[in-house]
Amino acid sequence: MINLFDSHTTRLDTTLYKVCVVAGRLLLAYLFFTQLFWKLPPDFGCGEDFAFPIPAEQNHWDANGSGGLCYWMGLESIFASKPRQVLVTDMRPAGLPKIGLNITPLAELNAAFLDNVVIPQIRITGWLIWLAEFSIFLSMLTGAFTRFGAIVSLGVSLQLYIGLANIPRPFEWEWSYGTIIALSLVMLGTAAGRTLGVDAWLRRKLAAPAERGNRLAKIGLLLT
């Protein structure tokens, strides 16, 4: 077992750890809080017509009166088949090559799922997307079931990364989404709700039932 705090750990070390974990958790909560309002139910910012952008020869796409969630989903679909790299490092100024990872196949799979499942049922799937992000906000804000919240956050941010990272119009910087992925991983690994969060209390309540073999309690411990 890895021990984060050894015999040389000072009070400053533990304080810094707690402050950084809680700050990261609250920042992730606020990030998702800011994203709740441009896609509010029941129309998710799409408007009454639920219009989506359409492909166009000039400038890649035409807005087609779209907005909110429909706008961004449409862009994911339109740019899916266009060659796109992520994790790009341009080393040419140093006489070295430009490197990156081609994610076009993943983007096409993502678009197929959107086009065949999510977009046709946007009045339902829009609710699922909004509630998923709202649950991340609540989880990180209160420190309740933070590992579950981190898993949901990781799924949401990975999907956005595949669908939107480095698209050319509007340019979506890949690390806007990559940073959310990284922060979600930190929240998952540190079980951030155990520090000044509801999870610390939940784990005390779940410990005894889990030891007696209660499956729900064991699952609860895994997610906190």
Side-chain angles (χ1 to χ4, degrees):
M1 180 182 294
I2 298 174
N3 186 4
L4 294 176
F5 305 107
D6 56 26
S7 59
H8 301 288
T9 300
T10 65
R11 181 176 295 180
L12 176 62
D13 293 327
T14 56
T15 300
L16 279 174
Y17 174 83
K18 291 178 180 179
V19 168
C20 290
V21 166
V22 173
R25 196 186 82 218
L26 294 178
L27 283 171
L28 188 59
Y30 189 69
L31 186 154
F32 277 97
F33 176 73
T34 65
Q35 299 304 300
L36 294 174
F37 300 96
W38 59 265
K39 53 178 179 286
L40 280 172
D43 67 357
F44 313 106
C46 296
E48 294 181 359
D49 296 333
F50 284 86
F52 291 84
I54 56 175
E57 290 186 10
Q58 191 173 19
N59 292 325
H60 302 290
W61 52 268
D62 180 88
N64 191 36
S66 61
L69 196 57
C70 294
Y71 168 78
W72 290 104
M73 282 188 179
L75 294 191
E76 290 186 59
S77 178
I78 289 169
F79 284 107
S81 61
K82 300 181 186 295
R84 183 157 48 95
Q85 289 190 326
V86 295
L87 302 178
V88 176
T89 303
D90 190 351
M91 301 182 289
R92 288 175 295 182
L96 297 170
K98 180 179 180 180
I99 61 173
L101 179 66
N102 179 24
I103 61 164
T104 304
L106 285 176
E108 289 176 337
L109 284 174
N110 176 63
F113 177 70
L114 290 177
D115 291 340
N116 293 287
V117 178
V118 179
I119 289 175
Q121 302 296 329
I122 186 63
R123 288 172 174 82
I124 298 172
T125 54
W127 272 103
L128 297 178
I129 293 167
W130 192 87
L131 288 172
E133 296 193 15
F134 183 69
S135 72
I136 297 167
F137 160 65
L138 279 184
S139 173
M140 295 300 149
L141 178 68
T142 62
F145 296 101
T146 45
R147 276 190 166 160
F148 175 75
I151 291 169
V152 177
S153 177
L154 190 58
V156 168
S157 52
L158 278 170
Q159 189 276 326
L160 291 171
Y161 188 88
I162 292 168
L164 294 171
N166 287 344
I167 65 170
R169 178 178 177 251
F171 178 69
E172 290 290 298
W173 186 46
E174 62 175 299
W175 287 107
S176 298
Y177 305 104
T179 301
I180 307 174
I181 293 171
L183 192 52
S184 300
L185 286 171
V186 171
M187 295 299 101
L188 178 63
T190 58
R194 299 181 194 180
T195 304
L196 299 179
V198 174
D199 283 348
W201 174 82
L202 281 173
R203 290 181 66 81
R204 290 195 296 271
K205 295 294 182 181
L206 293 171
E211 289 176 0
R212 293 195 296 268
N214 186 297
R215 290 186 179 181
L216 286 177
K218 289 181 178 180
I219 293 171
L221 287 177
L222 285 174
L223 298 178
T224 58

